[in-house]
Amino acid sequence: MTTRTTLAAIALALLPTWAAAEGCHGGMKEVTASSCAEGMVWDGVQGTCVQQPTS
């Protein structure tokens, strides 16, 4: 019984750490082509949204 209690206590103690790690990406939001603003297009070389060129 004490082994189960100890393991349960360890798991509960680590849950906040795991939850924080899931949401932590170095403070950077992942930007993809679908998240570019209107008038912007994805530039794969720069890895960011850029102003859409006019022709």
Side-chain angles (χ1 to χ4, degrees), residues 2 8-12 14-15 18-20 22-23 26 30-33 37-38 43-44 48 50 53-55:
T2 54
I10 291 171
L12 289 173
L14 293 176
L15 281 176
W18 289 325
E22 283 294 318
E30 186 175 331
V31 178
T32 61
E38 189 174 331
D43 184 335
T48 187
V50 296
T54 57
S55 52

Side-chain angles (χ1 to χ4, degrees), residues 2-55:
T2 54
T3 302
R4 281 188 185 172
T5 305
T6 303
L7 291 175
I10 291 171
L12 289 173
L14 293 176
L15 281 176
T17 304
W18 289 325
E22 283 294 318
C24 182
H25 297 288
M28 296 180 59
K29 178 183 171 189
E30 186 175 331
V31 178
T32 61
S34 63
S35 63
C36 291
E38 189 174 331
M40 305 286 275
V41 294
W42 183 256
D43 184 335
V45 175
Q46 294 180 11
T48 187
C49 297
V50 296
Q51 191 72 26
Q52 186 173 11
T54 57
S55 52

